[in-house]
């Protein structure tokens, strides 16, 4: 499994830092939805799903967290610890977010609008789905 981790261009001086993200330039898709998670309790895991079409970039813009990615055959853990780094999560990829620092803010850039029918929320169903897609 190949993981695509992005290091976004930082612009800064004595006033501070700025990161600008543009669709098809810094992000490999048109951004149709942005959301973020914060105040995640200690020991809480989020995600537990995959998507049929949607792709995402996850950026921990404050604090840190870990992302477990699973393509049905292999699992990898990606730490997100800097506000200028992000991880690409393709469709057909199970994801779990965990080990959030107390101050963590995890921002998600999505390639599609919210559509519940695009979600696969059962792990066994996910495994069957990716096996079928490989054929």
């Amino acid at each position: 499994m190949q993981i695509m981790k992005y290091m976004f261009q930082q612009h800064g001086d004595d006033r501070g830092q700025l990161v600008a993200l543009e669709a098809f330039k810094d992000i490999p898709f048109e951004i149709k939805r942005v959301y973020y998670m914060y105040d995640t309790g200690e020991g809480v895991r989020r995600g537990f799903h995959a998507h049929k079409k949607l792709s995402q970039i996850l950026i921990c813009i404050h604090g840190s967290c870990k992302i477990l990615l699973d393509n049905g055959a292999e699992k990898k853990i990606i730490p997100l610890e800097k506000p200028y780094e992000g991880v690409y999560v393709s469709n057909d990829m199970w994801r779990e977010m965990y080990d959030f620092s107390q101050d963590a803010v995890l921002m998600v850039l999505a390639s599609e609008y919210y559509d519940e029918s695009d979600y696969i929320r059962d792990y066994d169903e996910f495994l069957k789905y990716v096996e079928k897609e490989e054929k």
Side-chain angles (χ1 to χ4, degrees):
M1 169 174 29
Q2 182 176 347
I3 302 298
M4 292 175 50
K5 199 165 189 182
Y6 287 81
M7 301 304 255
F8 301 113
Q9 179 68 45
Q10 299 175 79
H11 306 277
D13 55 27
D14 58 346
R15 300 171 295 167
Q17 299 293 320
L18 179 140
V19 173
L21 303 174
E22 297 179 16
F24 301 114
K25 185 176 177 187
D26 308 289
I27 305 299
F29 51 76
E30 179 183 0
I31 301 165
K32 293 188 178 175
R33 185 168 176 241
V34 177
Y35 60 94
Y36 53 92
M37 297 166 237
Y38 63 97
D39 286 346
T40 305
E42 186 176 337
V44 171
R45 291 177 81 100
R46 309 269 323 237
F48 297 99
H49 67 272
H51 290 278
K52 298 171 189 169
K53 295 186 310 184
L54 178 135
S55 296
Q56 299 174 319
I57 298 277
L58 280 62
I59 306 166
C60 197
I61 58 174
H62 196 266
S64 63
C65 67
K66 292 180 181 149
I67 312 298
L68 169 71
L69 296 179
D70 177 348
N71 65 4
E74 185 177 2
K75 296 179 184 183
K76 289 198 177 173
I77 296 171
I78 297 89
L80 290 177
E81 301 168 329
K82 297 175 180 71
Y84 55 85
E85 66 182 3
V87 64
Y88 176 78
V89 182
S90 64
N91 64 327
D92 298 350
M93 184 78 66
W94 188 264
R95 78 275 331 263
E96 297 175 21
M97 296 80 79
Y98 68 100
D99 200 17
F100 290 87
S101 63
Q102 188 175 16
D103 59 347
V105 179
L106 179 63
M107 182 174 69
V108 181
L109 310 176
S111 66
E112 304 295 331
Y113 299 115
Y114 177 81
D115 177 3
E116 182 60 34
S117 69
D118 186 58
Y119 282 74
I120 305 170
R121 297 187 183 273
D122 178 85
Y123 188 72
D124 290 332
E125 183 183 325
F126 163 71
L127 292 176
K128 290 175 190 171
Y129 183 84
V130 293
E131 185 179 307
K132 183 177 80 172
E133 289 295 304
E134 290 176 1
K135 292 181 180 180

